[in-house]
């Protein structure tokens, strides 16, 4: 769930406080070793101190592919912690933790079913707007050192 900083806020918009942030992660682009090395900002490290959120990203964070990542409509990426147990089991990676899917905010008690594009959230002094759904990165399996055949490309929703 990419977020952007809300540009114009009116009293008619629904505000919710994002008090469910389990962890915050940042990472600068770096080379990913593989048969064909490539540069990505996917790899993140957890931060525990207050961090500045600009209109394009968090301080200390960066994106290698600025066409598809980052910028004013994708300033941060959010991923639900509720999905981690499924991925730990499916990928047989019991140590997966917040940030391992390249997200900046790992959130508790909040999934795609709970939010809509255009929802406005506050986090500390920042006001954020959900701008678009998360797009699966085709190189994510390589970054996590798993085979692409073990990753379902989609899942049917009930």
């Amino acid at each position: 769930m990419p977020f952007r900083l809300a540009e114009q806020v009116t009293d008619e918009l629904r505000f919710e406080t994002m008090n469910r942030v389990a962890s915050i992660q940042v990472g600068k682009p770096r080379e990913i070793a593989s048969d064909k090395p490539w540069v990505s900002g996917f790899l993140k490290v957890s931060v525990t101190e207050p961090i500045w959120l600009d209109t394009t990203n968090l301080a200390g964070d960066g994106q290698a592919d600025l066409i598809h990542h980052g910028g004013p409509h994708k300033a941060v990426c959010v991923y639900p912690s509720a999905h981690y147990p499924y991925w730990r089991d499916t990928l047989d990676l019991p140590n997966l933790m917040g940030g391992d899917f390249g997200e900046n905010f790992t959130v508790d008690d909040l999934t795609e079913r709970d939010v809509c594009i255009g929802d406005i959230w506050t986090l500390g002094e920042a006001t954020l707007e959900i701008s678009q759904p998360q797009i699966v990165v085709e190189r994510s399996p390589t970054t996590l050192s798993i085979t692409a055949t073990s990753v379902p490309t989609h899942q049917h929703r009930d």
Side-chain angles (χ1 to χ4, degrees):
M1 293 177 277
F3 278 80
R4 67 182 174 127
L5 290 178
E7 295 170 8
Q8 292 184 345
V9 178
T10 69
D11 293 335
E12 297 175 16
L13 295 175
R14 182 181 73 156
F15 283 91
E16 296 193 40
T17 301
M18 188 183 287
N19 59 359
R20 304 168 181 162
V21 176
S23 61
I24 299 174
Q25 296 79 220
V26 297
K28 291 286 191 183
R30 58 180 151 169
E31 187 171 291
I32 307 296
S34 70
D35 294 341
K36 192 175 183 182
W38 51 289
V39 176
S40 175
F42 185 87
L43 300 174
K44 308 286 186 197
V45 295
S46 185
V47 295
T48 57
E49 299 297 319
I51 190 165
W52 180 258
L53 174 59
D54 201 342
T55 56
T56 57
N57 59 20
L58 288 164
D61 197 47
Q63 299 78 30
D65 176 1
L66 294 175
I67 293 172
H68 298 101
H69 305 284
H73 294 283
K74 296 176 263 187
V76 295
C77 181
V78 177
Y79 195 70
S81 62
H83 295 331
Y84 272 92
Y86 169 82
W87 289 115
R88 285 181 193 114
D89 291 343
T90 300
L91 302 174
D92 193 28
L93 293 172
N95 296 323
L96 278 178
M97 54 194 236
D100 284 347
F101 289 109
E103 75 270 19
N104 299 111
F105 298 154
T106 307
V107 294
D108 289 335
D109 302 324
L110 187 67
T111 69
E112 297 85 353
R113 294 178 188 257
D114 303 308
V115 299
C116 294
I117 292 174
D119 282 357
I120 304 289
W121 294 80
T122 58
L123 177 61
E125 296 177 21
T127 302
L128 301 149
E129 178 181 355
I130 296 179
S131 60
Q132 57 188 281
Q134 174 63 28
I135 307 300
V136 177
V137 178
E138 84 178 59
R139 293 185 179 178
S140 297
T142 304
T143 308
L144 294 172
S145 299
I146 55 177
T147 60
T149 56
S150 67
V151 179
T153 55
H154 62 86
Q155 183 177 5
H156 177 70
R157 288 183 136 176
D158 297 336

